[in-house]
Amino acid sequence: MEYVRMSTEHQKYSTENQGATIAEYAARHGMRIIRTYTDAGKSGLNLKGRSALQQLLRDVQHPKPDFSAVLVYDISRWGRFPDPDEAAVYEHSCKSRGIRVIYCAEPFSNDGSMPSTVFIGIKRSMAAEYSRELSVKVFAGQRNLVQLGYRQGGPPGFGLRRQLIDEQHGVKGFLSRGEKKSIQTDRVILVPGPLEEVAIVHRIYRHFLEDGMPERIIASVLNRDGVRSDAGASWTRGTIHQILTNEKYIGNNVYNRTSFKLKIKHKQNSPEAWIRKDGAFEAIVPIHLFRQAQTIIENRSRRFDDAQMLDLLKQTLEKHGALSGIVIDEDENLPSSAAYRSRFGSLLRAYSLVGYRPNRDYAYLEINRELRRRHPQLIDEMTEQIGQFGGSTERDPSTDLLTINGDFTASLVIARCKSMPSGTLRWRIRFDAGLQPDITVVARMDQSNLHAFDYYLLPSIDFAPDVLPTLEDNGFFLDAYRTSSLEFFYQLAGRQPLEEIV
């Protein structure tokens, strides 16, 4: 079988060119290619998102694999892993099953001899170094563009819009949510959005500075008045807080708050590492109001250690006689309930540390509350990823039903993980019969119910709303719809401009 991978590098690495070279090698050596595994548009920095390579490695572990070798164009197509040993581990998993990995375009044979072992080690290190050098160059380019006042990625935010300009700074129009520029020399800046949205931003600052409303109350007021956020969703404390703290509202371009270099680990960077250009965009909030808001937030957001947080929680318990997320969030002298969850793992653990035992088991309610909060976040991630693959989405603000490219609909269902007395895990899907989507995307949560464990893509033609499968051990039929990530779904929903296809 053959494995091909293409990111966005050079035409010589197109899957067609790789396939042609591999086919020529197979013909010369009397081999027959029985299967092709393709990861198109995938980075080689890690295994995540490379569903074809993941499937290949699973197939290798089959008791009786129906192939004896894996043909790959060259070592870089196997992967540009920052740690060369990672590439070696995946290759060894094949070789341990008697399956050779052959690099068809390399000038040496992968035959286990000392010269080939040395060459492969060198080439793996060269592939890793290429990724590191490319990362440095890309970051330098992004830093330069930020300091010139151009926007680098991310949604504009409520009250703002992304405006596309050409290299002569001629205005070309606005980018909708999820849209990306298609011409390399074009640039993006932020400009004020519709007047009614700008007015809402000003209203948020008035409520915060003049009326003394905390973010949570402001969100409730806007939701009561039927105002929707830029994502078409209800307002939350976090979305209000973002408007009060993000410098883009006073026209500053700030980049590199977080980094994910070489796709190894997300990192929160210190302010000294931020890249900024003050006054890059037209401000929609006067700077003196923004600074007043920061002063209030900084004074209010004093850092507490664990003991101080628990002491405040104990005082609240003594005052109210009971604790809940609502009681905590209503008390302006306390950190938020989200802060207690983050610090102590869950509210229930924080309760136990101050000696509070709820009259009833709130674990189920707390998990459901967290999953309800996670649902719009996953919808946002799906919308963003579909946009990155060139697709478009329309989101129903009341149901979160997605209409993709105007062709089909998709809904998201989160399946809560339940631990059974026997120690097994069980998941149950509950379809919304009123939505009738073409595809139901099921996110099956892990045992902690904090992260998605895997996904199922269930087409309506095969799964009616009255079918409620239990996702534990359903055999081959249901597992055929299982995927470890949604990369395939995003590819399915993606669209490519015609000039890139030709």
Side-chain angles (χ1 to χ4, degrees):
M1 65 178 184
E2 63 177 343
Y3 172 75
V4 294
R5 178 186 67 84
M6 181 182 72
S7 53
T8 56
E9 299 167 43
H10 304 97
Q11 185 62 28
K12 75 171 184 176
Y13 283 135
S14 70
T15 54
E16 292 81 6
N17 285 347
Q18 293 177 59
T21 299
I22 292 172
E24 182 183 348
Y25 181 96
R28 288 201 316 266
H29 293 81
M31 297 179 176
R32 181 171 61 90
I33 299 174
I34 63 170
R35 194 176 304 119
T36 299
Y37 296 82
T38 304
D39 279 323
K42 299 299 177 186
S43 167
L45 291 172
N46 55 36
L47 193 60
K48 184 178 180 181
R50 296 170 65 183
S51 56
L53 183 56
Q54 293 175 24
Q55 184 61 54
L56 185 156
L57 295 174
R58 286 195 294 269
D59 291 347
V60 164
Q61 300 304 318
H62 192 276
K64 293 183 179 180
D66 59 351
F67 52 91
S68 59
V70 179
L71 303 183
V72 189
Y73 180 80
D74 65 9
I75 288 175
S76 71
R77 298 305 89 196
W78 189 248
R80 299 187 187 276
F81 301 99
D83 184 351
D85 289 342
E86 185 174 359
V89 167
Y90 300 141
E91 182 177 328
H92 181 264
S93 68
C94 297
K95 295 169 78 172
S96 65
R97 301 288 297 169
I99 296 172
R100 296 176 60 198
V101 178
I102 300 173
Y103 303 112
C104 302
E106 298 290 4
F108 51 82
S109 298
N110 187 11
D111 54 8
S113 64
M114 179 62 72
S116 70
T117 301
V118 172
F119 277 126
I120 289 175
I122 292 173
K123 293 279 285 191
R124 284 179 181 148
S125 298
M126 290 172 60
E129 186 61 27
Y130 171 87
S131 294
R132 281 188 282 269
E133 291 179 357
L134 183 61
S135 175
V136 171
K137 292 177 182 177
V138 169
F139 181 74
Q142 291 172 330
R143 176 177 57 195
N144 182 54
L145 291 175
V146 168
Q147 291 173 338
L148 289 174
Y150 300 123
R151 176 76 171 173
Q152 291 296 296
F158 188 85
L160 297 167
R161 292 294 184 270
R162 292 182 301 154
Q163 188 173 76
L164 191 65
I165 59 177
D166 60 25
E167 53 187 334
Q168 282 80 38
H169 278 224
V171 175
K172 300 184 69 174
F174 294 107
L175 291 175
S176 301
R177 187 177 181 86
E179 281 189 319
K180 301 191 324 187
K181 68 185 186 73
S182 57
I183 301 177
Q184 188 174 7
T185 55
D186 285 349
R187 296 289 178 255
V188 177
I189 61 173
L190 292 183
V191 296
L195 293 178
E196 58 269 22
E197 287 192 17
V198 174
I200 292 296
V201 172
H202 293 165
R203 178 183 172 186
I204 289 171
Y205 274 81
R206 285 199 307 272
H207 283 325
F208 188 74
L209 296 175
E210 298 176 14
D211 303 331
M213 291 185 183
E215 294 97 315
R216 174 180 47 79
I217 300 300
I218 297 173
S220 298
V221 169
L222 294 182
N223 290 332
R224 180 198 64 194
D225 294 345
V227 179
R228 310 296 289 185
S229 72
D230 55 315
S234 299
W235 291 90
T236 65
R237 183 187 184 280
T239 52
I240 297 295
H241 188 77
Q242 195 268 345
I243 287 178
L244 293 171
T245 57
N246 199 307
E247 292 185 46
K248 63 188 176 184
Y249 288 97
I250 56 172
N252 293 347
N253 195 15
V254 183
Y255 182 69
N256 201 43
R257 292 174 183 265
T258 63
S259 56
F260 189 33
K261 292 182 178 178
L262 295 178
K263 298 189 176 182
I264 296 176
K265 184 179 181 181
H266 279 286
K267 176 185 176 184
Q268 294 284 342
N269 297 321
S270 64
E272 294 77 21
W274 296 356
I275 300 166
R276 61 188 308 119
K277 170 69 174 178
D278 294 345
F281 315 123
E282 181 181 347
I284 65 172
V285 173
I287 191 168
H288 70 280
L289 296 182
F290 183 84
R291 287 175 176 168
Q292 287 178 31
Q294 305 324 297
T295 300
I296 293 173
I297 292 171
E298 289 168 5
N299 290 338
R300 183 192 65 191
S301 303
R302 301 189 307 273
R303 297 291 295 180
F304 298 107
D305 59 27
D306 290 0
Q308 290 172 320
M309 288 185 68
L310 292 174
D311 185 57
L312 289 171
L313 191 61
K314 188 178 296 184
Q315 294 176 27
T316 301
L317 174 61
E318 293 171 354
K319 180 168 59 175
H320 296 281
L323 292 174
S324 70
I326 295 176
V327 169
I328 294 172
D329 288 335
E330 290 282 352
D331 193 330
E332 297 298 335
N333 296 318
L334 275 181
S336 67
S337 60
Y340 278 97
R341 289 189 187 94
S342 175
R343 182 71 66 88
F344 299 104
S346 71
L347 282 182
L348 291 176
R349 183 168 183 271
Y351 294 164
S352 67
L353 291 174
V354 297
Y356 175 60
R357 296 272 187 269
N359 292 330
R360 54 178 294 189
D361 183 9
Y362 283 93
Y364 181 87
L365 298 176
E366 187 169 330
I367 289 172
N368 282 354
R369 175 179 177 179
E370 179 63 23
L371 294 183
R372 285 194 298 272
R373 185 190 66 82
R374 186 78 177 107
H375 189 275
Q377 294 177 349
L378 285 174
I379 291 288
D380 286 341
E381 292 175 14
M382 290 170 61
T383 300
E384 181 180 354
Q385 289 296 321
I386 290 171
Q388 290 185 6
F389 277 87
S392 64
T393 57
E394 293 181 12
R395 180 175 177 178
D396 188 314
S398 60
T399 65
D400 280 335
L401 183 71
L402 296 179
T403 301
I404 300 172
N405 301 320
D407 294 334
F408 65 95
T409 57
S411 69
L412 172 68
V413 173
I414 297 181
R416 185 175 68 92
C417 180
K418 181 179 181 181
S419 297
M420 305 302 291
S422 63
T424 61
L425 303 178
R426 193 172 294 274
W427 297 261
R428 190 171 182 84
I429 308 174
R430 296 191 180 277
F431 291 101
D432 189 332
L435 294 182
Q436 298 183 338
D438 297 309
I439 295 178
T440 298
V441 179
V442 179
R444 188 167 72 157
M445 305 304 287
D446 61 12
Q447 192 170 2
S448 69
N449 281 298
L450 296 177
H451 308 286
F453 176 69
D454 56 14
Y455 302 87
Y456 285 77
L457 303 178
L458 307 180
S460 60
I461 192 171
D462 293 333
F463 293 88
D466 57 347
V467 177
L468 298 176
T470 301
L471 303 184
E472 179 189 6
D473 184 11
N474 294 276
F476 175 77
F477 172 70
L478 194 58
D479 283 346
Y481 299 90
R482 177 187 173 277
T483 176
S484 59
S485 75
L486 291 179
E487 293 292 335
F488 173 75
F489 177 71
Y490 299 144
Q491 292 179 37
L492 174 70
R495 293 293 183 269
Q496 292 292 333
L498 289 176
E499 60 268 25
E500 294 186 11
I501 297 175
V502 174

